Amino acid sequence: MVMLMVVALPIIAAGYLMTISAERALVAEKQEKLFGAAHMLDQYLAGTYDDILLQSGLEGAGRQEKIEAINKFLSGYTDQVAAAYPGIGVGYYAKELDAIVTYGPSSVYADKVGMPISQTHEGRIVMQGGEQRVQEGDLVRGPVMNAMYPIIRQGKVLGYIWANELTSDIESQLVAMKRHTYVMIILGLLLGIGGIIYSIEHLMNDIGKIKRGLSNIKQDLNYQLPPLGGEVGEIANAINDMAHSLAAQKMVEKQVQTAERLAAIGEVAAGLAHEIRNPLMAIKGFAQLLGESLNQEEKTEYLKIISQEADRMNRLIEQLLCFARPAATEVKLVDVNEVLESTLLLIGNPAMHQNIKITSTLASDVPKVLVEGEQLKQVYLNLIINAIQSISQQGEVCVSSICDRENRCVCVAIQDNGSGIDPGHISRIFDPFFTTKEGGTGLGLAVAYRLMETWGGKITVESSAGFGSVFTLFFPVPEE
């Protein structure tokens, strides 16, 4: 519709302006023609009306005889000019006699000779001021456009010459001209609208092909859009090139991901081998000692150590399995605040013994989220214990929860004022087996990160060495 308006309005406006201009041009041409005829009559009257009367010997005659003498002298030429311009009426007016002295064609308007013009006739303004004038109205002949040219001899206005044309004739010419203009405007509109409709349909057809092609590319990056013409064809070619590049990039990403998985497997294997070596060496050493002659108390002690080291390896393997393949537990709607409060009850007393204060600020409008309660408690325990262990003597751990309705998630933050994390370690703290704590397995944060991913959430960390850390859990709010 906008394109149709953009085409239609200029054509209509141009047609309107062209009609107005043509109408003015026609009126100006009519006036110029009428003044031309009047000027010819003025040239024919070389002298004055008195010269004609003197030549006829009637300078002392009465008014009517003078009018007849002047008419006899001028009517022939007046009829010639009228015949040269079909449809117009021409004639002379004598100011002194206050009468029409000729009116051609005389075969039609001879009865008008001798008549004076009305007092409102603008010919009197011409005779008074001596300037040519055009008047439109119902005059002696009827509704006409009347061009009046003053007869001036030696600075004196003797009367005026007129040439007029019926307004109906002028209007009929204007109507014919407008009719042709309107036909051209309509043809222009039809051609313009037809061209736009054809162009739009052609364009929409090409756009439809691109849309269907993009839908296919979404499923298969190797799909190619069909060849198209013009600028749309260039867009299609650019999309094909982009899809080809994305396909190649995706292949490279897949290879990189495969390499990263292999590297991760190697790193996990190396970490596991390192963590298991010490318990195995202890078990082997104490098992060898059991073969020697020992008293009962020593055997019991060695067997206890062997059992503890075996339990240690078992816990390590369980944590590793939890990281690699989280238990397929059924998630349900859980109040994160309730789980957080029960976790704080478990850890509150140990923290007090270490001169560590734990405070909580939990929002009351937090919606429930889809998680597994016991696993969520384990995530909380890992993060809060890490926060407590980062505080050397005394400090504070602040736990808070809010509902971010704009991003449709629940946020739980665990903040401490402990030693913080070295900037070089932040990018690795969620990697399995990475730890800076003596005796740590490096799987606690890795398991927490994996569980949050399983629930569709995420975990972030902000830390400054010497000023503490903030771990934030983001839980997506399920659709109602």
Side-chain angles (χ1 to χ4, degrees), residues 301-425:
E301 181 65 24
Y302 293 165
L303 287 172
K304 181 180 178 182
I305 293 174
I306 291 173
S307 177
Q308 289 175 345
E309 293 299 320
D311 290 340
R312 179 182 170 190
M313 284 192 297
N314 184 54
R315 287 194 302 272
L316 181 64
I317 292 172
E318 285 180 354
Q319 288 183 327
L320 182 62
L321 288 175
C322 182
F323 166 76
R325 186 176 63 253
T329 54
E330 183 177 354
V331 296
K332 60 182 180 180
L333 289 173
V334 172
D335 188 332
V336 296
N337 284 348
E338 290 182 1
V339 179
L340 192 54
E341 288 172 349
S342 63
T343 305
L344 293 177
L345 288 176
L346 291 176
I347 208 164
N349 288 333
M352 290 178 60
H353 291 310
Q354 299 180 42
N355 293 325
I356 296 174
K357 181 181 178 182
I358 298 181
T359 60
S360 61
T361 306
L362 308 182
S364 59
D365 61 342
V366 172
K368 293 183 178 181
V369 296
L370 287 172
V371 295
E372 202 286 317
E374 289 302 318
Q375 290 180 337
L376 177 59
K377 184 182 291 187
Q378 187 61 45
V379 171
Y380 286 157
L381 282 172
N382 285 338
L383 295 177
I384 296 173
I385 289 173
N386 283 348
I388 292 173
Q389 291 176 347
S390 70
I391 300 173
S392 58
Q393 294 181 353
Q394 64 179 15
E396 184 177 5
V397 177
C398 300
V399 181
S400 62
S401 67
I402 61 169
C403 178
D404 185 353
R405 300 192 182 279
E406 182 178 352
N407 296 310
R408 293 189 58 79
C409 66
V410 173
C411 307
V412 176
I414 299 171
Q415 181 176 3
D416 64 73
N417 58 357
S419 59
I421 303 172
D422 188 286
H425 295 161

Side-chain angles (χ1 to χ4, degrees), residues 95 122-131 150 157 159-160:
K95 179 180 180 181
E122 293 185 11
R124 297 191 181 280
I125 299 176
V126 175
M127 290 186 293
Q128 182 179 359
E131 294 181 358
V157 179
Y160 70 90

Side-chain angles (χ1 to χ4, degrees), residues 55 60 77 117 120 159 188 202 229 283 289 297-299 307 362 378 416 433 471:
Q55 184 180 347
Y77 188 72
I117 59 176
T120 59
H202 184 71
I283 291 172
L289 291 175
E297 184 179 352
E298 289 176 331
K299 289 181 181 181
S307 177
L362 308 182
Q378 187 61 45
D416 64 73
F433 297 112
F471 283 82

Side-chain angles (χ1 to χ4, degrees), residues 443-457:
L443 288 173
L445 289 178
V447 170
Y449 190 88
R450 187 63 182 275
L451 287 172
M452 290 299 296
E453 280 189 332
T454 303
W455 299 328

Side-chain angles (χ1 to χ4, degrees), residues 35 38-39 42 126 131-133 147-151 159-162:
F35 277 118
H39 186 65
D42 183 59
V126 175
E131 294 181 358
Q132 65 183 29
R133 193 177 185 87
M148 295 167 285
Y149 188 86
I151 303 172
Y160 70 90
I161 301 167
W162 75 85

